[in-house]
Amino acid sequence: MRQHIMVVDDDEKITSLLRRSLAFEGYEVSTAGNGMEGLKLLLTADPDMLILDVMMPQVDGWEVCRRVREGGSTVPILMLTAKDDISDRVKGLDAGADDYLIKPFALEELLARVRALLRRKSDKIDESSSNKIVFDDLALDLDSREAIRSGRRIELTAKEYDLLLLFMQNPRRVLTRDAIMEKIWGYDFSGESNVLEVYIAMLRQKLEEGGAKRIIQTVRGTGYVLRGEG
């Protein structure tokens, strides 16, 4: 069965180009001319990937992305924008996008990113069929109590495992320091006050070995969150 890609963009030249190019590559393609039309189409369609323009009338791409994620969908989302602004990219990624491409773009690069996102989706399905929790390029093996990142197995101590499991069970959710301490060490914990920071540092060192991106982010004055870099 051909993989289905939905393109949501109000630029008819872009949608026409992508429809023809993606179809030539063997994909099934559907299109929508604005965010509202795209949301309506998603009610009946179940695409394997969503290519989403940011600046659209009625409902913009950020809002479409947010609603898709709030609905529980994990469909890969590639966002297109004419703005080369880091804050815009961060906004899209925080809304749940998987990748970002600046207009004008090279068609070859877009097709390569499409292949990469679909391949990652396939890998996640394969990994989740066993006893694993998966987020981005990180998997947590519940049987061996090991982390697996980009094919590299990472041995964890008991507390490191418990801490990472808590994050993996709450992706993109900010966890306060008190909530983490209560969950991992319990009400009666009486150790050093910086014990959480020490374990976060050790866990990051293991996860980021070899130059991997930071995936456990600090939220100043609040706690920590599991998400990719902006």
Side-chain angles (χ1 to χ4, degrees):
M1 183 179 295
R2 293 191 300 166
Q3 291 175 300
H4 175 197
I5 299 177
M6 182 184 296
V7 179
V8 184
D9 197 315
D10 63 332
D11 187 329
E12 293 184 6
K13 292 182 179 179
I14 294 291
T15 55
S16 178
L17 171 66
L18 294 183
R19 184 191 300 111
R20 288 184 284 106
S21 301
L22 292 168
F24 182 79
E25 294 293 319
Y27 301 109
E28 178 185 348
V29 185
S30 59
T31 63
N34 57 61
M36 185 61 70
E37 184 181 331
L39 287 171
K40 290 179 179 178
L41 189 56
L42 283 167
L43 293 175
T44 56
D46 184 22
D48 295 291
M49 182 175 172
L50 184 60
I51 298 178
L52 185 60
D53 183 37
V54 169
M55 303 305 294
M56 293 185 291
Q58 300 183 45
V59 179
D60 64 29
W62 290 313
E63 179 65 14
V64 173
C65 184
R66 186 185 65 80
R67 293 190 193 182
V68 168
R69 292 297 183 239
E70 285 184 348
S73 174
T74 59
V75 62
I77 298 177
L78 171 63
M79 299 197 77
L80 305 177
T81 181
K83 293 186 176 181
D84 188 8
D85 191 318
I86 291 177
S87 63
D88 286 319
R89 279 179 274 174
V90 170
K91 186 175 180 178
L93 294 168
D94 282 346
D98 297 280
D99 202 356
Y100 219 90
L101 193 58
I102 306 297
K103 295 179 178 179
F105 52 83
L107 181 59
E108 293 80 3
E109 181 180 3
L110 181 139
L111 293 174
R113 294 193 184 209
V114 166
R115 290 191 295 269
L117 287 173
L118 289 173
R119 184 167 59 247
R120 186 191 303 175
K121 177 187 178 184
S122 177
D123 290 343
K124 286 183 179 180
I125 292 173
D126 291 342
E127 285 188 301
S128 63
S129 64
S130 58
N131 200 19
K132 294 183 179 72
I133 301 176
V134 180
F135 177 82
D136 198 9
D137 61 348
L138 176 65
L140 186 62
D141 191 322
L142 304 183
D143 293 325
S144 67
R145 296 173 69 89
E146 294 177 316
I148 306 163
R149 192 162 196 196
S150 299
R152 176 175 62 91
R153 285 192 171 268
I154 305 166
E155 293 185 5
L156 302 170
T157 66
K159 283 292 186 232
E160 288 170 348
Y161 171 83
D162 292 340
L163 188 57
L164 184 56
L165 177 61
L166 180 62
F167 282 119
M168 297 285 280
Q169 290 173 329
N170 297 275
R172 299 189 181 92
R173 176 184 176 187
V174 176
L175 301 176
T176 66
R177 188 179 186 281
D178 288 345
I180 298 172
M181 294 289 290
E182 177 183 324
K183 185 70 175 179
I184 303 302
W185 281 277
Y187 289 105
D188 299 325
F189 178 75
S190 58
E192 296 295 328
S193 61
N194 69 337
V195 65
L196 176 57
E197 288 71 19
V198 170
Y199 271 93
I200 290 288
M202 292 191 299
L203 188 55
R204 281 174 170 168
Q205 183 176 12
K206 290 184 177 182
L207 296 177
E208 297 168 18
E209 185 177 342
K213 69 179 181 181
R214 175 149 296 181
I215 200 168
I216 298 177
Q217 305 289 337
T218 301
V219 181
R220 288 177 178 260
T222 304
Y224 299 91
V225 59
L226 180 73
R227 66 182 177 214
E229 281 187 319

